[in-house]
Structure formats: structure tokens, C-alpha cells
Amino acid sequence: DGGITQSPKYLFRKEGQNVTLSCEQNLNHDAMYWYRQDPGQGLRLIYYSQIVNDFQKGDIAEGYSVSREKKESFPLTVTSAQKNPTAFYLCASSDLVRGRVYEQYFGPGTRLTVT
Amino acid sequence: DQQVKQNSPSLSVQEGRISILNCDYTNSMFDYFLWYKKYPAEGPTFLISISSIKDKNEDGRFTVFLNKSAKHLSLHIVPSQPGDSAVYFCAASARNRDDKIIFGKGTRLHILP
């Protein structure tokens, strides 16, 4: 079965600690994305990557870092510099057809709570 | 600066009737529009899309209408079913410029028995 996996589903951390959220896809998609969702808000783009070893900042990249060492993996690190890290984090992937993005497929999400 | 706006945070519709969810956008560069459905504590799932060269796309009970001159699109669900209760996100992309999809804030649809 092809899909996107995010683990864990729930994550708890103390303030001041870095935490890494995993995202793996076996859809053979070129592009991968990280979003965060807050109550009453849409999905806001944190980082995205269209190719291995390359990634771009989204609209709210401050306090986050990513890596793309393998096509199927795009982990997100929430650093202690992120002022409001408690949120629901969603990873997505998509095909690039003739350089254009079409539908994005989402993982189940990780709810991060920092206290 | 919200480029994709869903002005109704919630909508309640009787089961069996038509649900109409609305979305407005401001960026005239957008050329591809999508609707996603999201249940609580799950990732969104793609529902239906439409290219700017069309004004209507239909898939079963779901139809998306695009009015480019008004920069408005709508999702029609008919007939509405209990399993349609979810949050619906409108999204848009300017595929000739970059590969980002901009999401609206979502509309929570309640299907009433």
C-alpha cells in the first residue's frame, strides 16, 4: 500500500528541547511539504522540497529546520527557537508533472504539545 | 494577507439536501484550484480539483464551479450525507510561478439528521 506515514501521532516535549517529527512516503513522489495547523487556521507552509538535498522555506519557517537526504524521507525539527511550537503538524507529498504540482497527499499528522 | 478566503467558518445542512461551500481568491495568477476534506486528528484528503481553463468539474456527488471573473469558486455536494460532516479546505496554486498550494482557513460542514 502506498502512502505517507508520520510518527508518532502524539508527541510531548518540554520547552527548550528540540524535537524531530518523521515523515516517510512510498509514493515515489518528488516533492514533499510540511504544514502546521492551528485552531481556526488553515494549513500554513513551513518548508518544502522538490528534490533530494534541496529545500525551500515556506511562509513560517522560523524556528524550524528540515533535511531531505532521501527521496522518501523529509524529517522536520522543531527547535527551541520556535515560539509557539504546540500545533498539529502535517506532512504531504506530490508528483511533479512537467515541473508542475498537482494534488498533494497528506499523512495522518503529528500533534505536538510543548509544556 | 489572505489570498484564499473561506468566509463561512461553519455551515449546517440537512441530510439529503445540497451543501454549497464557497471560496474567494485574490491572486489572479492562480490557475489551479483544489478542495480537501479533513476529519479531526487526520490529514486532509484530496476531494476534487479544477483548472482555470474550465468552469465546472464533476465527480459523483461533488461538483466544483469556478467563476474567474468574480475570483470565486464553490463546492456543491448533493445529496449531503452524514459522512460529509468534516472541515473543507479550499486551496489554490499558481502553477506557472511556483509549486506552493495556498490553503483557506476551512469551513466546518455539519450534516444534520
Side-chain angles (χ1 to χ4, degrees):
Chain A
D1 273 71
I4 303 177
T5 56
Q6 290 184 246
S7 60
K9 194 162 180 64
Y10 299 96
L11 193 53
F12 298 88
R13 279 294 182 272
K14 294 287 187 189
E15 195 174 325
Q17 293 179 333
N18 290 358
V19 59
T20 298
L21 283 59
S22 80
C23 177
E24 305 276 331
Q25 55 101 358
N26 61 4
L27 300 166
N28 200 33
H29 284 169
D30 292 303
M32 296 187 74
Y33 310 80
W34 274 105
Y35 294 88
R36 76 176 265 170
Q37 186 192 14
D38 296 282
Q41 298 286 328
L43 279 63
R44 293 185 290 168
L45 182 65
I46 304 172
Y47 268 98
Y48 65 107
S49 167
Q50 294 181 298
I51 195 169
V52 173
N53 293 324
D54 188 44
F55 46 82
Q56 285 79 40
K57 292 182 180 180
D59 301 316
I60 55 166
E62 187 176 345
Y64 299 98
S65 66
V66 292
S67 63
R68 186 91 187 274
E69 296 176 4
K70 298 185 296 183
K71 185 176 183 178
E72 57 271 20
S73 178
F74 191 41
L76 172 76
T77 297
V78 184
T79 75
S80 56
Q82 168 49 233
K83 290 185 172 53
N84 296 297
T86 294
F88 188 52
Y89 290 87
L90 288 157
C91 179
S93 71
S94 66
D95 236 340
L96 290 178
V97 179
R98 296 188 300 277
R100 292 183 171 182
V101 166
Y102 288 78
E103 297 79 22
Q104 291 183 6
Y105 294 84
F106 285 84
T110 292
R111 181 163 296 283
L112 173 65
T113 302
V114 177
T115 56
Chain B
D1 178 29
Q2 249 188 297
Q3 299 185 65
V4 178
K5 300 177 186 177
Q6 294 178 257
N7 292 320
S8 299
S10 68
L11 175 69
S12 294
V13 173
Q14 208 76 35
E15 182 179 353
R17 306 293 289 268
I18 183 171
S19 295
I20 300 176
L21 295 97
N22 293 304
C23 178
D24 297 294
Y25 61 96
T26 57
N27 189 341
S28 56
M29 299 293 288
F30 288 148
D31 62 353
Y32 194 68
F33 304 89
L34 311 94
W35 284 94
Y36 283 84
K37 174 181 179 179
K38 185 182 181 300
Y39 293 119
E42 293 183 11
T45 54
F46 169 73
L47 205 52
I48 193 169
S49 62
I50 187 166
S51 164
S52 60
I53 62 173
K54 295 185 175 181
D55 54 20
K56 176 182 173 181
N57 189 26
E58 193 172 349
D59 184 3
R61 296 186 297 114
F62 303 93
T63 303
V64 56
F65 295 92
L66 175 62
N67 182 336
K68 287 188 290 293
S69 60
K71 294 193 177 69
H72 177 84
L73 64 155
S74 60
L75 174 68
H76 292 212
I77 306 173
V78 56
S80 299
Q81 298 175 354
D84 296 331
S85 293
V87 176
Y88 289 80
F89 290 101
C90 173
S93 176
R95 293 183 301 172
N96 57 354
R97 190 181 67 182
D98 60 35
D99 296 304
K100 293 194 289 187
I101 293 180
I102 309 299
F103 287 84
K105 292 188 175 183
T107 296
R108 183 175 297 279
L109 176 64
H110 300 270
I111 303 302
L112 307 170

